[in-house]
Amino acid sequence: MNRKKFISSVVPLAASFPGIATIASSEEPEGKTVIPSYLKKDDTIGITCPAGFITNEDMLPAVNKLTEWGFKISFGTTVGKKDFTFGGTDEERRNDFQQMLDDKKIKAILCARGGYGAVRIIDSLNFKQFELHPKWIIGFSDITVLHSHLNRNYGVASVHSKMCNSFPADWNLAEPVQRESIESIFKCLIGEKMTYSFLPNIKNKLGVATGTLVGGNLKTLESLAGSKSDIITKNKILFVEDTGEYLYSIDRMFWNLKRSGKLSSLAGLIVGGFKIKPDDPGEEFGKALEDIVLEKVKEYDFPVAFDFPVGHQKYNVALKCGVKHTLKVELNSSMLTEKL
């Protein structure tokens, strides 16, 4: 397919935008949270590949839905490129993402897919213009690198959600949870106050917590420990998810959270979807996911909610990282509610 046939041009925006909201909070070690301006009709979303590659054909479902929502699309130069598993070379991916960070006309950056690669370019990105004109960065999995880096260094909110490779090819045939997950991206971007109710788990730890929401892919968070992108968890609600890991590996990652002090001062913990590799016969780990987690938090009194709809699965709702939420975990229900 010729990419030019479905690339729409970026046009000047006539609508004015409200000022950036800055919220001071004693619970935030970084001192503040910056909320980028929410999007309006005809605003431009840039699409780029900071990690894995995506084909032009695989882009079409996302392009169609974003256009249906009333947004214009600006395609980065990495869309359709392939350098082994990556969406272009490190230099190409870095330059493409930098251009979108600096372009004032682009109001949000949607990462085309995850995979691996964001950590290879994160330290060469310049966020000077981004700090002056913050915009929503959208994605999950490997894009946890960006969410964590923004929260740690700039206090800028971002959207943890499905990416272009997760939009269903036929909307009418998509499962309800797929449609809900995709539609939640739109709701986040236009500024709706997000609330999610989800089924209780018998092993939940009950309670109520309020704090800034941080987190993402657990393996990625572990890999960022000690770096400039390492998240601060004090007084925050941490959410985690992962895929393709053995139970012993998940156990090791939760020990990392505990031994590094990231669990001791949490306000609350949300455990999303975990696609677990089956143990080899004779090498069974002997603990379920819930048991692994509860072992690490047994001395703390914050609420813990399992089975939240986030992760490498069809039911993967959009979350505003860096924004204050309240987590309420009760016997018969669990709820996560945005506070702003």
Side-chain angles (χ1 to χ4, degrees):
M1 178 178 293
N2 186 343
R3 186 163 68 98
K4 291 182 180 179
K5 290 183 178 180
F6 66 91
I7 293 180
S8 58
S9 60
V10 178
V11 301
L13 303 178
S16 60
F17 285 82
I20 301 301
T22 301
I23 303 92
S25 170
S26 60
E27 295 181 352
E28 294 290 333
E30 302 92 327
K32 64 180 181 179
T33 295
V34 177
I35 311 296
S37 297
Y38 289 109
L39 273 62
K40 297 181 177 61
K41 184 179 179 180
D42 291 331
D43 281 349
T44 298
I45 296 177
I47 299 179
T48 182
C49 299
F53 73 91
I54 192 169
T55 66
N56 291 332
E57 288 79 6
D58 287 342
M59 289 288 301
L60 284 175
V63 171
N64 291 337
K65 182 55 64 175
L66 293 170
T67 303
E68 179 184 312
W69 288 342
F71 300 127
K72 298 185 183 301
I73 310 298
S74 176
F75 287 89
T77 57
T78 54
V79 173
K81 283 191 176 179
K82 187 177 187 297
D83 183 61
F84 296 95
T85 188
F86 304 109
T89 65
D90 288 351
E91 182 179 11
E92 288 171 331
R93 300 193 326 279
R94 181 266 175 200
N95 290 343
D96 197 29
F97 202 86
Q98 187 68 60
Q99 187 276 328
M100 294 202 170
L101 286 174
D102 295 342
D103 190 338
K104 296 179 184 179
K105 295 185 293 296
I106 292 176
K107 299 304 175 181
I109 301 173
L110 174 59
C111 300
R113 60 163 290 192
Y116 171 69
V119 74
R120 296 179 60 88
I121 66 173
I122 188 65
D123 290 328
S124 63
L125 292 171
N126 186 326
F127 288 89
K128 183 176 180 180
Q129 287 299 317
F130 176 82
E131 284 188 274
L132 296 175
H133 306 282
K135 60 192 70 179
W136 294 100
I137 293 178
I138 311 159
F140 85 111
S141 191
D142 189 64
I143 309 307
T144 297
V145 173
L146 293 165
H147 295 310
S148 185
H149 191 80
L150 293 182
N151 185 264
R152 174 63 184 262
N153 296 280
Y154 306 105
V156 177
S158 54
V159 175
H160 182 280
S161 76
K162 285 180 176 287
M163 297 169 285
C164 295
N165 62 327
S166 298
F167 281 64
D170 189 332
W171 189 258
N172 294 323
L173 297 179
E175 296 180 26
V177 293
Q178 285 182 286
R179 294 197 293 267
E180 179 185 343
S181 299
I182 297 297
E183 288 167 348
S184 68
I185 302 172
F186 175 68
K187 293 177 181 178
C188 276
L189 291 176
I190 65 171
E192 283 197 23
K193 181 179 176 181
M194 308 302 291
T195 297
Y196 297 112
S197 297
F198 53 107
L199 295 175
N201 183 306
I202 194 171
K203 293 191 175 181
N204 283 351
K205 288 184 67 175
L206 309 185
V208 179
T210 296
T212 300
L213 188 67
V214 297
N217 179 257
L218 182 56
K219 187 64 176 178
T220 303
L221 291 173
E222 181 189 46
S223 73
L224 299 175
S227 74
K228 293 186 294 185
S229 306
D230 195 3
I231 58 170
I232 295 173
T233 60
K234 184 179 180 181
N235 297 325
K236 296 182 179 180
I237 298 173
L238 174 66
F239 72 95
V240 292
E241 61 82 27
D242 218 319
T243 186
E245 297 288 345
Y246 290 105
L247 284 167
Y248 79 84
S249 181
I250 296 170
D251 184 69
R252 182 166 55 197
M253 287 186 276
F254 271 97
W255 273 118
N256 175 271
L257 289 177
K258 183 176 177 65
R259 297 184 69 232
S260 62
K262 287 185 169 65
L263 297 179
S264 61
S265 57
L266 277 183
L269 176 64
I270 296 172
V271 181
F274 275 74
K275 290 185 178 178
I276 299 169
K277 283 185 178 180
D279 292 328
D280 295 329
E283 298 289 340
E284 291 81 8
F285 186 67
K287 292 181 183 292
L289 173 65
E290 291 88 347
D291 300 324
I292 288 172
V293 175
L294 293 175
E295 179 186 48
K296 313 304 181 295
V297 302
K298 60 185 177 183
E299 64 196 85
Y300 312 127
D301 61 2
F302 53 76
V304 178
F306 293 99
D307 300 329
F308 187 84
V310 64
H312 290 71
Q313 56 193 28
K314 291 181 179 179
Y315 200 11
N316 180 22
V317 299
L319 296 172
K320 295 179 188 176
C321 297
V323 174
K324 188 172 288 187
H325 287 70
T326 292
L327 172 66
K328 182 181 292 186
V329 185
E330 299 177 322
L331 186 62
N332 296 316
S333 66
S334 296
M335 180 175 292
L336 181 69
T337 304
E338 181 186 348
K339 295 294 289 182
L340 293 177

